Amino acid sequence: RKEVEQDPGPFNVPEGATVAFNCTYSNSASQSFFWYRQDCRKEPKLLMSVYSSGNEDGRFTAQLNRASQYISLLIRDSKLSDSATYLCVVRYSSASKIIFGSGTRLSIRP
Amino acid sequence: NAGVTQTPKFQVLKTGQSMTLQCAQDMNHEYMSWYRQDPGMGLRLIHYSVGAGITDQGEVPNGYNVSRSTTEDFPLRLLSAAPSQTSVYFCASLGGRDRNEQFFGPGTRLTVL
């Protein structure tokens, strides 16, 4: 079983829709959580960190559920420019490895 | 700042050849890592380093060596290339305000024939 698992998608939704992705992690000792965005044939870039109390950045909301060991990303009022692959990332501690999920592909149609 | 740089951008090797992928960063980041990305597999961690002189294995270390003699450089060596190592390789360094953001290089696209 992979340490970090994501639904690969693709999610194909109309512009303006709300879409949500989940990501599960297997190691309960995981400490830090992130969502990265990767455009086609480009390097990944940090979208947002995920905090225990949940956090919002504009149209994006991230949630962490430690009891069930999953994190989620909600995108409201989706734009064409949101089309990308979204990668869930988990870090165990400040001196340890950083593990990526396999990514969820999102396609926004006009 | 140039950020994280990788060379070469593209490389074709024959089975059995060896080569080194170069990675450098000018942000004075202690933590650096190498990933490979294959279709449908996301990024898989090969090796990482928490500082000069310290390296450790990631998820898929076999067939690769790393060293970290300076803070700036973190080269990845393929000892004897195999077709299974055909992939896109990304190097990253960790920094940002909370030292929790990975900055990636543009990637090296490697084909092993």
Side-chain angles (χ1 to χ4, degrees):
Chain A
R1 184 188 169 194
K2 281 178 63 75
E3 293 184 63
V4 180
E5 297 208 59
Q6 294 183 248
D7 182 342
F11 286 66
N12 189 321
V13 301
E15 205 173 356
T18 295
V19 61
F21 316 130
N22 277 349
C23 163
T24 58
Y25 59 94
S26 59
N27 191 327
S28 59
S30 302
Q31 290 191 358
S32 306
F33 309 89
F34 311 90
W35 284 101
Y36 276 69
R37 171 197 166 122
Q38 185 175 26
D39 294 303
C40 189
R41 300 180 72 81
K42 297 282 192 182
E43 69 272 22
K45 293 186 178 174
L46 178 67
L47 178 67
M48 58 196 302
S49 301
V50 185
Y51 301 121
S52 296
S53 54
N55 48 297
E56 197 172 294
D57 183 1
R59 298 181 293 108
F60 298 84
T61 301
Q63 298 275 356
L64 168 62
N65 185 317
R66 283 191 185 275
S68 300
Q69 294 183 202
Y70 77 84
I71 68 173
S72 63
L73 177 68
L74 180 81
I75 305 175
R76 288 182 302 278
D77 188 25
S78 53
K79 312 290 184 193
L80 294 175
S81 56
D82 294 334
S83 296
T85 296
Y86 291 83
L87 299 158
C88 171
V89 181
V90 171
R91 188 179 187 191
Y92 301 144
S93 71
S94 61
S96 76
K97 55 189 178 180
I98 301 171
I99 302 297
F100 280 71
S102 54
T104 297
R105 198 151 52 92
L106 172 65
S107 179
I108 308 297
R109 62 180 188 269
Chain B
N1 282 353
V4 179
T5 57
Q6 290 183 239
T7 56
K9 283 193 167 56
F10 300 93
Q11 183 70 49
V12 178
L13 292 177
K14 292 181 180 175
T15 296
Q17 286 184 312
S18 62
M19 80 159 294
T20 298
L21 307 185
Q22 301 291 346
C23 174
Q25 52 93 8
D26 60 358
M27 298 174 281
N28 202 32
H29 291 166
E30 295 288 337
Y31 188 112
M32 296 185 73
S33 50
W34 275 102
Y35 294 88
R36 61 177 287 175
Q37 186 169 35
D38 304 295
M41 300 291 289
L43 277 78
R44 291 184 291 169
L45 181 66
I46 304 172
H47 286 284
Y48 67 103
S49 168
V50 299
I54 306 168
T55 63
D56 208 343
Q57 295 182 349
E59 302 170 277
V60 289
N62 292 341
Y64 307 95
N65 273 359
V66 292
S67 59
R68 187 90 181 275
S69 54
T70 67
T71 299
E72 293 77 20
D73 300 297
F74 191 40
L76 178 73
R77 293 184 196 85
L78 278 70
L79 309 171
S80 177
S84 60
Q85 293 179 304
T86 294
S87 190
V88 179
Y89 291 84
F90 286 105
C91 176
S93 71
L94 189 70
R97 188 181 61 190
D98 301 322
R99 284 186 289 185
N100 259 329
E101 179 174 359
Q102 289 209 87
F103 296 87
F104 284 83
T108 294
R109 282 164 175 74
L110 176 69
T111 300
V112 183
L113 302 175

